[in-house]
Structure formats: C-alpha cells, structure tokens
C-alpha cells in the first residue's frame, strides 16, 4: 500500500484559496488519489478523486503532476465551515477498499 | 439515494462485555468496510466484506469480528471489551467491483463506543 505524507496542520483565513499538498512517492500505476474531509465525530466525506492532471468539481480541484508522486487539493475561497481534517489516500482500482489513512491535515480557517 | 447508516450512534459498555454494531450500505453497494478511529492511532482498517465473505482483514485481534448478510448489511462484533476499544467505529460502502472507474468508498456517521 502506498503511504502518504501531508502537513499536520494549516491555517487560513476566510475567503482565501487553500492548497494542501500530499506526497505519495510509492504510488503504483493502478493507484488513484482520493481526498476526504472529516469533521469531529463524523465519518469522512468524499471530496474529489483523480488519476492524473487536473480534476475539478463543485467544491475543489485536484492537481496531479506528470510523475504522480504528489498531489494538491485546492479549496477556493474557504469559509469557517471548511475547518476540518483532510485526508489524502492512494489506492488501486482493485485494492478492495484496503485504504491507508495517514494523519491527515488539520485545516483551521480563521475569520 | 440514502447514504450509509450506522446504528446505534452512541454506545456505553463496561469492560468484559461484548457489543454489536450495525451498518447499512448505500443501495446497490456490495462491499462494506469497517474502520476504527482513535485520537492516538487515527483511522485504522478492520476488515472488509463483499458478498457475505470477508475479503480483507486488518491487524486487529480476533475479538473483532464481523459478518455480512445477503442484503449487504453488515454487523461488527467486539467481544470481551477493553478500555482501549473506546473509539469511533466507521463503516464505508462501495460497489466492491473492479472496473474502469475507481471504487469510491462512502462513509457512515459512525458509532461512538465508550468502554468504562
């Protein structure tokens, strides 16, 4: 299983764009990159998933360079409600859901 | 489409007792995975069931067991509870199938277990 490395915490202010980078040097050819958001005492919520280049949905963008050894989750114009822990996961199409959750990044959005 | 549901949401037990947690996956999903989350260890994979069979297992003692029914609903059982079993137990469902698209997991709200 490919392990991931993320910053333990980040601070931001409301209205700013936040970029959280994840390192996954041992990513395999079949691996996809998935990001989850988790609020205290709740289950992780799926944010975005990608394989290469850029993926965008209504809440975030995911940038993946050509070597795929890292990825960056971009949250546009964060609000206080975006304060949460963000997890980067790497897993294959056929990994039968055996994901490895790292420590995640605690994002603290200030007013 | 209804999300993943877990019951009960909160549970208090004493050491030595056993507990059963329930998870109902998203309709059409056949894979259910269980995770334990504690402040010290983070999110750890317990096991995964697919079509009533355990397909993957994490590194937890045999006191932790599970099963899956024909309707894909799953239960997790912890016997002889220890203080260290206090945690948020999360289940996640997915199609469980290999295909052209990634098999994304969707998590339930969790069951908060407190062992006294």
């Amino acid at each position: 299983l490919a392990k991931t490395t993320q910053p333990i915490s980040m601070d931001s202010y409301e209205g700013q764009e936040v970029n959280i980078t994840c390192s996954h040097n041992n990513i395999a050819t079949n691996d996809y990159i998935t990001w989850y958001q988790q609020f205290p005492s709740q289950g992780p919520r799926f944010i975005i998933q990608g394989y290469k280049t850029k993926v965008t949905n209504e809440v975030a963008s995911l940038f993946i360079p050509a070597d795929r050894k890292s990825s960056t989750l971009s949250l546009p114009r964060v609000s206080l409600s975006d304060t949460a822990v963000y997890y980067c996961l790497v897993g294959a199409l056929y990994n039968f859901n055996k994901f490895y959750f790292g420590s995640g990044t605690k994002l603290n959005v200030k007013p | 489409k209804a999300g993943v549901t877990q019951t009960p949401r909160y549970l208090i037990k004493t050491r030595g007792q056993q507990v059963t947690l329930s998870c109902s996956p998203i309709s059409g999903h056949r894979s259910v995975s269980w995770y334990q989350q504690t402040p010290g260890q983070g999110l750890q994979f317990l096991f995964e069931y697919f079509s009533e069979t355990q397909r993957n297992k994490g590194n937890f003692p045999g006191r932790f067991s599970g099963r899956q029914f024909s309707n894909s609903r799953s239960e997790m059982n912890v016997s002889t509870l220890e203080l260290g079993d206090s945690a948020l137990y999360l289940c996640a469902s997915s199609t469980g199938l290999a295909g052209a698209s990634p098999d994304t997991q969707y998590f339930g709200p969790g069951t908060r277990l407190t062992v006294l």
Side-chain angles (χ1 to χ4, degrees), chain A residues 36 38 49 94 96-97 99, chain B residues 31 37 56 94 98 104-105:
Chain A
Y36 284 89
Q38 187 180 28
Q49 188 171 62
Y94 317 112
F96 304 120
N97 302 313
F99 280 128
Chain B
S31 170
Q37 186 171 33
N56 278 286
S94 70
T104 304
Q105 288 189 88

Side-chain angles (χ1 to χ4, degrees), chain B residues 19-35:
Chain B
V19 67
T20 299
L21 312 181
S22 180
C23 173
S24 292
I26 291 171
S27 177
H29 283 187
R30 293 163 60 187
S31 170
V32 174
S33 296
W34 288 89
Y35 293 82

Side-chain angles (χ1 to χ4, degrees), chain B residues 10 26 31 39 44 59 62 64 73 75 87:
Chain B
Y10 302 92
I26 291 171
S31 170
Q44 293 185 286
N59 297 320
F64 293 83
R73 189 178 70 86
E75 287 181 347

Side-chain angles (χ1 to χ4, degrees), chain A residues 55-66:
Chain A
V55 180
T56 298
N57 62 22
E58 62 276 7
V59 298
S61 294
L62 179 59
F63 299 92
I64 306 168

Side-chain angles (χ1 to χ4, degrees), chain A residues 32 34 36 38 40-46 49 87 89 92-102, chain B residues 31 33 35 37 43 45 48 55-56 88 90 94 98-109 112:
Chain A
Y32 272 71
T34 308
Y36 284 89
Q38 187 180 28
S41 297
Q42 294 186 27
R45 183 177 76 101
F46 172 84
Q49 188 171 62
Y87 293 97
L89 284 80
L93 292 177
Y94 317 112
N95 71 352
F96 304 120
N97 302 313
K98 199 174 172 182
F99 280 128
Y100 168 78
F101 277 82
Chain B
S31 170
S33 296
Y35 293 82
Q37 186 171 33
L43 258 160
F45 173 78
E48 184 229 359
R55 190 164 63 171
N56 278 286
L88 180 67
L90 295 157
S94 70
S101 301
D103 190 26
T104 304
Q105 288 189 88
Y106 296 92
F107 284 81
R112 171 71 63 185

